[in-house]
Amino acid sequence: MTPPRARRPQVPMEQRRAELTEVALRVMAREGAWALTTRALAKEADVPHGSVHYAFSSKAEIVRSVITADTDSAVQIFGGVDVDGASPGETLGRAFTAYLDRLIADPQTELVLQELTLMAVRDPELAALMAESSIGYGASLGKLLATLAEQTGRTWDAPLPVIVEQLLGLLFGTTQAWLLHRDDERLRCALADAARLYGARLEQVAE
């Protein structure tokens, strides 16, 4: 006879959701983003299947939590960059370095997010979730760029949303390439040069 499962101590819902989000990311990192199911999550977390549904109403809500955690991390990175006493290029370099440090320390999370992005092309519900993430990334980066313009008393040589879109494409594309070649120095050199070039686009245009 199988012994009864020991009763788990009650934990606050937010803590439970955070714990399950970490486990969901672990499942996707190991088996691929497409492998996540509520049952797989329950098995990995060693909790009853009903506990997962109590914390999250659907698989989409679990994925949303994973994406939100990543977006919040990016907001902290771009929002935490020290802009005092540095040129625009140096400031962008600091932001890119912080982004790269996180990437290199935890490449599996980025791999999951890249997989989710590709899956979103054929999944309207997932596409909406990824669009929310893109808005969050863009808002935090746009705020940093606006601060640089204000501090230098200059303007960007293109509308701010255009600069943001270009930089996000640069970051995500370069990141995807790194996931294949894993050459850290090549990655850092590429984004350091990009920071210098984009910083000059602000420095060269007076109001």
Side-chain angles (χ1 to χ4, degrees), residues 40-71:
L41 177 54
K43 181 178 179 180
E44 183 78 14
D46 191 26
V47 299
H49 189 217
S51 295
V52 173
H53 282 286
Y54 182 68
F56 295 101
S57 62
S58 64
K59 175 183 172 180
E61 283 301 308
I62 301 170
V63 174
R64 180 191 296 275
S65 186
V66 170
I67 295 171
T68 298
D70 171 72
T71 305

Side-chain angles (χ1 to χ4, degrees), residues 120-200:
V121 175
R122 298 183 182 275
D123 185 333
E125 186 175 24
L126 181 55
L129 296 180
M130 297 308 295
E132 291 179 16
S133 174
S134 180
I135 291 172
Y137 266 83
S140 59
L141 181 56
K143 185 175 180 180
L144 174 61
L145 299 181
T147 299
L148 289 176
E150 181 179 355
Q151 288 197 346
T152 59
R154 296 173 179 268
T155 58
W156 293 97
D157 64 355
L160 194 58
V162 172
I163 302 291
V164 169
E165 188 72 12
Q166 291 173 343
L167 285 177
L168 289 181
L170 175 69
L171 284 175
F172 297 154
T174 308
T175 294
Q176 186 178 67
W178 177 83
L179 286 171
L180 293 173
H181 62 64
R182 299 298 176 102
D183 186 333
D184 297 354
E185 185 61 24
R186 176 176 161 187
L187 175 67
R188 291 187 184 279
C189 287
L191 288 184
D193 188 58
R196 177 183 61 81
L197 292 173
Y198 270 84

Side-chain angles (χ1 to χ4, degrees), residues 28-126:
M28 290 191 287
R30 185 181 65 239
E31 301 179 22
W34 51 85
L36 179 67
T37 64
T38 55
R39 290 193 180 279
L41 177 54
K43 181 178 179 180
E44 183 78 14
D46 191 26
V47 299
H49 189 217
S51 295
V52 173
H53 282 286
Y54 182 68
F56 295 101
S57 62
S58 64
K59 175 183 172 180
E61 283 301 308
I62 301 170
V63 174
R64 180 191 296 275
S65 186
V66 170
I67 295 171
T68 298
D70 171 72
T71 305
D72 290 346
S73 178
V75 169
Q76 291 176 3
I77 287 175
F78 294 133
V81 176
D82 183 7
V83 299
D84 293 332
S87 69
E90 290 170 335
T91 300
L92 287 176
R94 292 172 181 175
F96 291 170
T97 295
Y99 178 86
L100 295 183
D101 287 345
R102 184 190 68 155
L103 167 66
I104 292 171
D106 184 17
Q108 291 304 109
T109 294
E110 183 60 33
L111 179 58
V112 168
L113 293 165
Q114 293 275 355
E115 289 174 343
L116 288 172
T117 299
L118 290 177
M119 290 166 60
V121 175
R122 298 183 182 275
D123 185 333
E125 186 175 24
L126 181 55

Side-chain angles (χ1 to χ4, degrees), residues 192-206:
D193 188 58
R196 177 183 61 81
L197 292 173
Y198 270 84
R201 291 182 65 176
L202 175 64
E203 293 164 347
Q204 293 172 351
V205 181

